[in-house]
Amino acid sequence: MSSIVTGEAVVLELRPASFAARALGLLLDVAFSVILLVAILIGLSAAGEDLDEAATRALILVAVVFCLVIVPVGVETLSRGLSLGKLATGLRVVREDGGAIRFRHAVIRGLTGFLEIYLTFGGIALTVALFNDKSRRLGDLMAGTYAVRTRVPVEQPVPVFVPQRLKAWAAAADIGRIPDATARRATQFLRQAGRMAPLSRSEMAASIATELSAHVAPPPPAGTGPDDYLAAVVAERRNRELTRLAQSRRRNTETGERLQRLPFGS
């Protein structure tokens, strides 16, 4: 999984498309292009009686370029990285920085795709995609793009509470200004801990707990495991922030009510 940082300093996670999803989307796009080409060729054959051989060949060449290059480029440009195959498989092509692709990227992908998909029957595209971590085909490498998943399952929030035996300690603990990166790591760990291997889970919990201990005093009671320690600190920090927010709103409401009672303009 890769991530980008927006102009508002918000971290967004982008999940690269799997090889299977990209291959299925590519097959659907190829099928659509071929069906469109066949339909145009049937129309040309019906009108071919009135055309000489040179004109017929020229029209066939134009039809091939139109269906296999111009249409894919136009669709990706107008839809900012989508196509029928990508819509069906829940994918979108984006730039390496996570932004929407432009005409330049679509042209490079379209021209390269004619070579690696149609002239080699997909051999180059599939071979290149197999040997890179984001399943990028040759056109993606040249254009600086890759495909990401747009249908990401929504993770249900995992409730975090202060363990019963740590409630007294957490209520009296001095929790200082925890760096945002450390707080985010702790929260993500608690959310994903149930899906982690035991060894990885214990090592990561101990590492994050060590980072948090520099901002929390006094130390927890003897025998407290890093998982419980993280849950206690994260939950107590959240509870205190919610309390401060509620108090701030109440003060603002009271101030507003007092201002309304003042005899302005009398």
Side-chain angles (χ1 to χ4, degrees):
M1 184 183 300
S2 60
S3 62
I4 62 173
V5 180
T6 68
E8 293 78 21
V10 177
V11 179
L12 301 178
E13 294 181 344
L14 301 178
R15 300 188 180 185
S18 65
F19 175 81
R22 290 218 63 181
L24 177 58
L26 178 62
L27 287 175
L28 293 175
D29 285 336
V30 169
F32 169 74
S33 298
V34 171
I35 291 173
L36 178 62
L37 177 59
V38 170
I40 292 177
L41 292 180
I42 291 175
L44 289 177
S45 64
E49 299 176 355
D50 300 329
L51 300 174
D52 57 27
E53 184 176 352
T56 301
R57 290 179 179 177
L59 289 176
I60 291 176
L61 178 60
V62 170
V64 170
V65 174
F66 175 78
C67 295
L68 306 187
V69 178
I70 296 178
V71 170
V73 169
V75 170
E76 283 196 353
T77 301
L78 296 176
S79 64
R80 298 296 183 90
L82 291 176
S83 65
L84 289 180
K86 294 178 183 64
L87 279 173
T89 53
L91 306 180
R92 177 187 290 272
V93 175
V94 298
R95 303 194 307 263
E96 289 182 329
D97 63 359
I101 67 171
R102 300 183 183 277
F103 176 70
R104 172 174 60 87
H105 306 95
V107 168
I108 295 175
R109 283 172 44 80
L111 293 177
T112 310
F114 184 75
L115 166 65
E116 62 176 329
I117 297 173
Y118 296 102
L119 295 186
T120 63
F121 299 99
I124 294 179
L126 296 177
T127 301
V128 174
L130 279 172
F131 291 98
N132 62 82
D133 58 345
K134 294 181 179 179
S135 300
R136 303 165 73 187
R137 61 180 179 85
L138 183 61
D140 290 312
L141 295 175
M142 296 181 65
T145 60
Y146 70 106
V148 297
R149 295 168 55 188
T150 58
R151 299 172 187 168
V152 180
V154 177
E155 293 187 358
Q156 296 299 324
V158 178
V160 179
F161 303 99
V162 179
Q164 184 64 36
R165 73 183 194 90
L166 295 179
K167 284 188 175 182
W169 168 81
D174 179 14
I175 302 177
R177 175 69 172 84
I178 299 176
D180 292 340
T182 302
R184 185 165 56 248
R185 285 187 63 204
T187 302
Q188 290 177 345
F189 168 80
L190 293 173
R191 184 184 305 157
Q192 302 171 359
R195 302 193 298 269
M196 299 176 63
L199 180 59
S200 299
R201 172 175 175 169
S202 61
E203 291 179 351
M204 182 171 290
S207 173
I208 301 174
T210 301
E211 293 183 31
L212 283 179
S213 64
H215 309 280
V216 180
T224 300
D227 292 56
D228 288 342
Y229 177 71
L230 292 178
V233 173
V234 170
E236 181 63 25
R237 179 174 179 264
R238 176 203 60 200
N239 294 340
R240 293 182 184 183
E241 290 179 348
L242 291 176
T243 300
R244 284 194 293 268
L245 180 60
Q247 291 174 346
S248 176
R249 288 178 175 174
R250 185 169 57 253
R251 285 195 299 268
N252 291 338
T253 301
E254 293 173 352
T255 301
E257 292 175 351
R258 286 196 298 268
L259 290 174
Q260 290 178 356
R261 291 195 295 267
L262 290 177
F264 291 116
S266 60

